[in-house]
Amino acid sequence: MLFAVPASASGLLPAPAVEQPRSGEFQLTGRTAIVVPAGDAQALSSARYLADLLARSRGLKLKVVEGAAPANAPAIELRRGSPGGEAYVLDASPSGLTIQSDGDAGLFYGAVSVWQLATAAPGKGPAAIPAVHVEDAPRFAWRGVLLDSARNFRSPAFVEAFIDRMARAKLNVLQWHLVDDQGWRLEIKKYPRLTEVGALRVPAGPAAAADLDPATHQPRRVGGFYTQDQVREIVAYAAARHVTIVPEIEMPGHATAAIAAYPQFGAGPERPQGPSSDWGVHTSLYNVDDATFGFLEDVLTEVMDLFPSRYIHVGGDEAAKASWKADPAVQARMRALWIGDEDALQGWFIGRIEQFLKAHGRKLVGWDEILQGGVSPGATVMSWRGLDGALVAAKLNHDAIVAAAPVYYFDNRQAGDPDQPPGRGKVVTLRDVYAYDPLPPGLTALEQRHVLGVQGQVWSEHIRTDERLWTMAFPRTLAIAETGWSPAGRKDWSGFVARAKLQSARDRALGEPSGPVEIPGLVFPADERVRTSQQLNLCSAKIALNLEDDAPVRGPRARFLVDITNPCWIWPRADLAGVTAIEASVGQLPFNFQLGADRDKIRLRPPVTPSGELEVRDGCTGPLLASLPLAAALASQGVTTLHAPLAAATPGRHDLCFTFTQKTLDPLWVLDRVRLEASPRGH
Ligand code: ACM
């Protein structure tokens, strides 16, 4: 084919299965009525949703009419008739616009499409919608997003705005990450300490420790939780938009906040004092006493009462087994059950919970670690460590959802430019997400049917503010929406970019923030002699993070790109001609990362002065060109600018290597910015 046909000329996102232009236009005006069958509550709800969107987007106040269409102007009509489920047929012509579906969701998605057609051109007031015939149905049943309310709490209003934006892209599952080591966010009536103890924490680092609450004279705590009334309202709000909320209650690990509240349910010799302000893989695990299963079942009973979802997510990921190994009661139970090792014990643990959920008519879904130690027969596997979990699960006749890191992890940066919000250091562009094929290679057609769908993850360790969450989640979530909905053969990158811009404009017209669709990859400063950490190369990228400074507590903070296991940066082929000194801005961060045994593998260069120094070398193993003592930066919690003369290097270009020497991992020294100086300057 010489010319690519855009997947949706009329601007629909996700691209519909079939879209055929027709001649003429449907004139949408303030006199257009939206007509629904009499007594059809679901059709009425979708019609009102459409009327509300059009009022907010274009300022048009459309009447919703039950029964017969008024005769005075062409109408938008929601009709019953095939297809069913989430599928719908849409026809726009000069004489009227109809949406037809036997499914409630189908009518809703037809309504969303009408809103998109009416907002394909910007502006307020009437819209001329080019005539079109659309036949549409989703590729996958599960089109999800994970929202992490545990690491950083989000208000109920934000959660609802997020759900609404999902619905406007025909996404239908919100996996709500409600509990983790850092916070327990769900009111449980039978166990009030879960939120009394587990919902608030003091952020890591000296700045937060010094930020005293005047009422208590204790460090100010951050967090929050959702009351059951708030949850019921959010669940109903989502249901009205055909979004199912799948609650995630983590076990046996990611349980620090819960065990801090109820230490009797924890394993091993140690107990956390409160929810953690560290990131990473923690050691707190539930024990395997019957009383602990009683607690978990009580919690799940309240969870099932709040969330009608068929699926309940129980986590299962990253359960480091040290505390089980160190706990005599856990070991005794393992032997009594003739279970050979801790992985198999986790299999037994998840299996027991699965039976409980099944007895209550629910299905268990868990991260792909539930495949270890014998997967429970009815479990659905969420594949996060690439596609392997989905591949293995489908081969074993289990359903799977593709939530693959790193490409579907939207806490990764979208570009290398220094203005990107904090997050994980790997760059995952919109195009990376869009291009990713979610079907593991090597599955038969029958096995492929076990892949229920796709999910984008908005983990929030490094996403403190709502504004940043919007830009990390969108537009990449739109690529999930199109991957999940549109037939694989209809995907079209350049058309998608145009339509994602359109969708962002629609979000702005609704008064919501939106992230840029086209982000410059790596922007260098106009001054050739300056680089920020993001504009340098990392020497390694084992755990690369784009971290925000912990200070100041209020106001703008610096951001540093760093491999926390090896704080080392390279300025490749730096031009040292005429350079006689170096200026380096450095910051210090709390080392609040739980890395297990990996922590002991971190090698620090020994310091020369007591507080250590920033060393600049000609190549990482080459001669020392400059040494900048850190003593001058110790007292500051923010960024400090240091200077030092640069030893005469051979002329030409050099790979400048920047490393810190220090005795302890905490604080983590980080480079903010370096400048090569052509003439020496003193303090
Ligand atoms: C995960 O990222 N631990 C599911």
Side-chain angles (χ1 to χ4, degrees):
M1 202 161 47
L2 274 177
F3 302 102
V5 178
S8 176
S10 51
L12 296 179
L13 193 163
V18 173
E19 178 182 308
Q20 295 162 350
R22 299 281 200 259
S23 56
E25 287 173 338
F26 173 78
Q27 301 298 335
L28 177 75
T29 72
R31 295 192 310 130
T32 307
I34 307 177
V35 183
V36 298
D40 188 333
Q42 284 287 334
L44 186 62
S45 164
S46 289
R48 287 190 174 144
Y49 184 71
L50 173 58
D52 179 60
L53 278 180
L54 290 173
R56 287 159 61 206
S57 299
R58 300 206 70 93
L60 292 173
K61 297 254 171 0
L62 271 56
K63 270 208 188 78
V64 177
V65 182
E66 288 190 75
N72 58 345
I76 297 169
E77 192 183 346
L78 277 63
R79 277 190 200 152
R80 294 301 187 169
S82 81
E86 297 187 308
Y88 68 94
V89 174
L90 183 156
D91 276 290
S93 75
S95 60
L97 195 161
T98 60
I99 308 163
Q100 180 164 312
S101 178
D102 270 330
D104 298 334
L107 280 187
F108 179 81
Y109 292 135
V112 169
S113 291
V114 172
W115 166 70
Q116 290 190 348
L117 293 175
T119 49
K124 295 279 180 191
I129 297 176
V132 68
H133 171 74
V134 171
E135 292 170 21
D136 208 2
R139 178 182 180 196
F140 290 113
W142 187 300
R143 306 177 300 279
V145 185
L146 176 147
L147 180 66
D148 176 2
S149 284
R151 271 57 175 269
N152 273 302
F153 182 70
R154 310 253 91 98
S155 70
F158 178 89
V159 176
E160 290 188 351
F162 195 84
I163 289 166
D164 196 49
R165 194 178 286 196
M166 287 175 59
R168 301 198 305 261
K170 302 188 175 94
L171 291 154
N172 68 344
V173 179
L174 178 75
Q175 178 175 336
W176 202 3
H177 192 74
L178 285 165
V179 310
D180 213 305
D181 298 303
Q182 298 81 6
W184 183 286
R185 306 287 176 218
L186 177 64
E187 180 189 22
I188 299 292
K189 302 272 192 200
K190 195 161 177 183
Y191 299 95
R193 285 177 59 81
L194 284 171
T195 44
E196 285 166 13
V197 173
L200 293 169
R201 69 170 185 269
V202 179
D211 179 33
L212 299 185
D213 182 338
T216 62
H217 304 289
Q218 296 295 312
R220 208 184 298 271
R221 296 187 297 166
V222 300
F225 69 93
Y226 307 100
T227 67
Q228 294 203 349
D229 284 344
Q230 287 172 329
V231 168
R232 285 202 176 85
E233 193 180 309
I234 292 168
V235 167
Y237 182 95
R241 287 154 183 78
H242 295 273
V243 171
T244 300
I245 303 185
V246 174
E248 182 184 2
I249 306 295
E250 286 256 25
M251 61 190 77
H254 286 281
T256 303
I259 293 170
Y262 292 97
Q264 65 268 39
F265 303 133
E270 283 159 28
R271 290 293 179 277
Q273 294 306 302
S276 177
S277 59
D278 287 356
W279 313 126
V281 178
H282 290 61
T283 51
S284 293
L285 251 56
Y286 290 118
N287 63 39
V288 294
D289 295 348
D290 285 336
T292 303
F293 283 99
F295 160 77
L296 291 170
E297 291 173 6
D298 287 343
V299 167
L300 290 172
T301 298
E302 292 194 32
V303 165
M304 288 187 289
D305 185 46
L306 290 169
F307 295 95
S309 164
R310 184 159 160 250
Y311 289 92
I312 305 289
H313 203 300
V314 300
D317 56 318
E318 299 181 318
K321 302 297 189 304
S323 70
W324 278 2
K325 291 189 170 127
D327 189 311
V330 171
Q331 291 297 312
R333 181 125 208 217
M334 200 168 91
R335 282 193 298 274
L337 291 164
W338 293 84
I339 291 173
D341 65 15
E342 289 77 15
D343 278 348
L345 187 63
Q346 169 158 340
W348 170 83
F349 188 116
I350 298 290
R352 185 163 165 167
I353 295 293
E354 198 235 336
Q355 286 305 309
F356 175 77
L357 292 175
K358 193 172 155 190
H360 291 81
R362 307 300 179 99
K363 279 179 78 73
L364 179 145
V365 52
W367 298 107
D368 56 46
E369 284 93 334
I370 67 169
L371 286 165
Q372 294 164 4
V375 62
S376 324
T380 296
V381 175
M382 193 163 266
S383 188
W384 71 279
R385 294 173 300 178
L387 291 173
D388 291 357
L391 179 72
V392 173
K395 293 269 177 209
L396 292 170
N397 272 324
H398 284 267
D399 288 344
I401 295 133
V402 172
V407 68
Y408 285 176
Y409 270 40
F410 299 158
D411 52 342
N412 285 297
R413 293 188 298 166
Q414 300 182 70
D417 84 273
D419 290 336
Q420 284 291 300
R424 288 176 195 268
K426 184 166 176 67
V427 172
V428 172
T429 66
L430 179 62
R431 189 171 194 154
D432 293 334
V433 182
Y434 193 75
Y436 191 72
D437 180 359
L439 285 179
L443 292 183
T444 66
L446 211 59
E447 288 162 350
Q448 283 184 355
R449 293 172 58 176
H450 281 300
V451 178
L452 301 183
V454 290
Q455 184 168 290
Q457 281 44 247
V458 194
W459 299 110
S460 75
E461 284 95 325
H462 309 296
I463 309 181
R464 213 162 37 92
T465 69
D466 290 352
E467 186 198 352
R468 292 176 190 170
L469 196 138
W470 283 124
T471 53
M472 294 299 265
F474 286 88
R476 287 183 292 190
T477 292
L478 298 178
I480 292 287
E482 185 139 312
T483 302
W485 182 281
S486 308
R490 297 270 292 153
K491 285 180 88 175
D492 147 35
W493 167 245
S494 60
F496 172 76
V497 168
R499 289 178 291 110
K501 285 183 190 167
L502 201 52
Q503 188 80 348
S504 294
R506 292 180 183 115
D507 295 337
R508 285 193 297 277
L510 291 171
E512 293 180 5
S514 72
V517 171
E518 281 169 317
I519 302 172
L522 183 58
V523 184
F524 288 106
D527 184 345
E528 277 278 298
R529 300 226 149 132
V530 177
R531 291 282 186 272
T532 70
S533 64
Q534 293 87 359
Q535 292 159 336
L536 298 168
N537 292 351
L538 294 178
C539 303
S540 57
K542 189 164 187 296
I543 305 181
L545 299 172
N546 192 31
L547 287 173
E548 182 181 44
D549 204 344
D550 62 316
V553 169
R554 279 164 284 280
R557 302 181 189 176
R559 286 163 208 179
F560 318 93
L561 182 69
V562 57
D563 178 351
I564 62 165
T565 71
N566 180 27
C568 172
W569 296 256
I570 295 173
W571 184 332
R573 298 181 44 72
D575 184 359
L576 296 188
V579 173
T580 53
I582 192 150
E583 179 190 276
S585 303
V586 301
Q588 45 179 316
L589 298 170
F591 194 93
N592 61 324
F593 306 99
Q594 297 281 330
L595 305 178
D598 283 350
R599 188 184 170 101
D600 304 327
K601 293 186 201 146
I602 299 176
R603 293 281 164 265
L604 300 169
R605 293 191 191 229
V608 178
T609 56
S611 308
E613 42 278 311
L614 170 66
E615 290 187 347
V616 186
R617 288 172 190 276
D618 188 354
C620 287
T621 53
L624 192 64
L625 299 180
S627 179
L628 297 86
L630 297 173
L634 264 187
S636 164
Q637 288 177 1
V639 168
T640 308
T641 300
L642 307 170
H643 296 271
L646 196 71
T650 49
R653 294 187 174 269
H654 297 256
D655 289 343
L656 289 185
C657 181
F658 302 86
T659 53
F660 290 97
T661 68
Q662 62 185 123
K663 287 207 187 85
T664 57
L665 280 179
D666 193 271
L668 172 68
W669 286 99
V670 281
L671 197 56
D672 177 43
R673 188 171 170 279
V674 283
R675 192 157 73 88
L676 304 174
E677 295 185 348
S679 63
R681 50 176 288 195
H683 282 282

